[in-house]
Amino acid sequence: MIDYLERAFPTRQMRVFTDDTGTQRSVPMEDEAGNPVYNPEAEAARTQLIEHLCALPPIMSALDGLLEHFGHDNVAEVTGRTKRLISTGDGRQKLETRSSRTSQAEAAAFTQGRKRVLIFSDAGGTGRSYHASRDVVNQEQRVHLLLEPGWRADRAIQGLGRTHRTHQASTPLFRPVTTDCKGELRFTSTIARRLDSLGALTRGQRQTGGQNLFDPADNLESEYACAALVSWFHLLVGGKLTSVSQAEFERRTGLELCDKDGVMKDELPPIQRWLNRILALPIALQNRIFDEFLALVETRVSAARDAGRLDVGVETILVDTATLTDDTLLRTDPVSGATSHLLTIEIAHRRTPVPLERILHIADADATAAFLVNGKSGMVALQTRARSLMEEKEGTPIPRFELTRPTRREYLREQELFESAWTMIDREAFCAKWLEEAERAANKVDTETIRLATGLLLPIWSALPSDHLVVNRIADKAGNSWLGRLVFDEHVVQLFTKLGLDRAEDLPASDIAKSAFSGRSVDLSRPFPMTIKRALVNRSPRIELVGAPAEQIAWLKSIGCFTEVIQYRTRVFLPVPAAAEVLERILAGSG
């Protein structure tokens, strides 16, 4: 910085003159001998500024700051630098010389547990592994903090892989570190995209590379982000954004959005170019633009998640025990002989509640945090401000809150929260209720029965439910695992019917009732042709039996059905609470 000031600080005296057009201009002044003339006030200002900067304490780098904080004796440094300053016991500093063997000794001190903190860089990490190997003394779980990833996503991914290897005692926790400068999301986004691509190419599934390290909204080059950027451009041209105007944006970034007639171009700037130009803007303007853009991305991701269309690769469901109770063959491929199956698995798992200490730490660090209690259920939650959504047509922000509860978290819009039963509670009462809920949840074992379509799924993909596209892996503590797509109870009848395995009336009455109530109509042929479907009467959902002959109505009512005349037509309904029992009597053909 000092060298820059000495070279670039303006000290030449300028002479003002008027050109032929009457415009005032300035040129550097020279004396009669042609020597440059310098302004003594500017030279004095430069000297004073250099003197002030040289008197300030040096800004400590992240590496030296970590070594100073934890102590050189507690940190293993594998960075490849040959010299470093270390602090002595009397407060002085001395220059320490390091050889190539020093890195080997530092890495060994970490793996043997003598030093619990490890700092490594590209230069010092080549060819080394720092995972919790079962062959070393230090088998503690690694918490890998990724600092300053830079532009080279491949190097960052390589560094992440050094703490995540085979034959390890535990998997690491990855924590990318960013500041409040939103432009840094550009770097972590590139890493997220590369991790997704790496998993898809190497193992055919995204989780293998990304390990669900990033939320889908963090990948700023995904299909959701690209669509959100187009919406942001339209809102900018429409003058509906508060961060920046179209004229200022085009002037600062050099990106033109409209042609000479003022019409928006068909080919808008790609997201990579837009992200790179945003990095050149002032920090405050960057943050305002990114807040609006990320709100649009979150809106699209949230909508896809609610609709069951969010592609997150493979989601692993970890359970304590998993027992296979039924295996139904769905299809056998005539060429390869590969099979498709519907598995029925009973799973049991304990919930892991969030410790109270962590919740209080979050509450103390977040100025927007508030302690809540539900007036109806008596449950407690910590309220924090979440990333806002944005209305895509008008650009109106939609504030949201995140409610963290002992075993789960949920998001509520600000208006929904105000209309709910959540109210404020004092800190002491919150702590007592949280501990009570956490203890109750830790002692409870949740059991459920799930169905998983597995095996060769591509030929039967269209028969599987279209509103839940997530691929799941069920894994228990005994090492058993099954990979496939979840099939809920209301989807079983539709799946079997499409594959032609059984007639609908041969399936359990409970599955038929659940399928009908979920909105999927079921056609039956006995004891007479009829259709079981969901109906809405006076805004109340019902299960209707369509096609019942008039001579059978008395019998249907005697076994539990009820009728109602609507618009001069008698309609037959099954009571929702006992729909399965009544339907079973109907299929049996007797009262």
Side-chain angles (χ1 to χ4, degrees), residues 287-305:
N287 291 348
R288 292 198 301 269
I289 291 176
F290 265 100
D291 284 339
E292 295 173 340
F293 171 65
L294 293 177
L296 291 171
V297 176
E298 185 66 35
T299 300
R300 290 184 172 270
V301 171
S302 179
R305 182 182 287 111

Side-chain angles (χ1 to χ4, degrees), residues 189-316:
S189 168
T190 305
I191 297 171
R193 177 177 58 81
R194 290 292 298 272
L195 281 172
D196 285 347
S197 302
L198 177 66
L201 291 174
T202 57
R203 299 286 290 277
Q205 61 184 62
R206 254 189 286 276
Q207 188 202 24
T208 335
Q211 295 293 330
N212 291 334
L213 171 61
F214 296 93
D215 187 88
D218 292 329
N219 187 350
L220 302 186
E221 299 178 43
S222 64
E223 57 176 311
Y224 305 107
C226 293
L229 180 60
V230 174
S231 300
W232 189 86
F233 283 144
H234 281 86
L235 292 173
L236 178 64
V237 174
K240 297 177 181 179
L241 298 178
T242 59
S243 61
V244 65
S245 64
Q246 179 188 350
E248 183 183 5
F249 174 79
E250 293 181 341
R251 178 179 63 83
R252 286 180 175 271
T253 61
L255 299 177
E256 295 183 356
L257 305 181
C258 299
D259 56 21
K260 59 182 180 179
D261 298 324
V263 180
M264 201 165 182
K265 295 181 177 180
D266 293 333
E267 294 186 5
L268 295 170
I271 193 166
Q272 293 85 357
R273 186 185 307 166
W274 180 81
L275 288 169
N276 293 338
R277 300 293 175 88
I278 292 297
L279 290 177
L281 300 180
I283 300 299
L285 182 57
Q286 279 189 40
N287 291 348
R288 292 198 301 269
I289 291 176
F290 265 100
D291 284 339
E292 295 173 340
F293 171 65
L294 293 177
L296 291 171
V297 176
E298 185 66 35
T299 300
R300 290 184 172 270
V301 171
S302 179
R305 182 182 287 111
D306 294 341
R309 300 191 305 271
L310 182 63
D311 184 7
V312 294
V314 178
E315 287 188 350
T316 300

Side-chain angles (χ1 to χ4, degrees), residues 156-193:
I157 294 171
Q158 187 179 24
L160 293 175
R162 301 200 181 283
T163 54
H164 191 23
R165 308 285 201 193
T166 57
H167 194 60
Q168 59 187 3
S170 59
T171 56
L173 294 177
F174 293 125
R175 293 293 182 264
V177 179
T178 58
T179 66
D180 56 357
C181 175
K182 298 296 179 65
E184 292 189 15
L185 296 175
R186 172 71 173 98
F187 308 110
T188 56
S189 168
T190 305
I191 297 171
R193 177 177 58 81

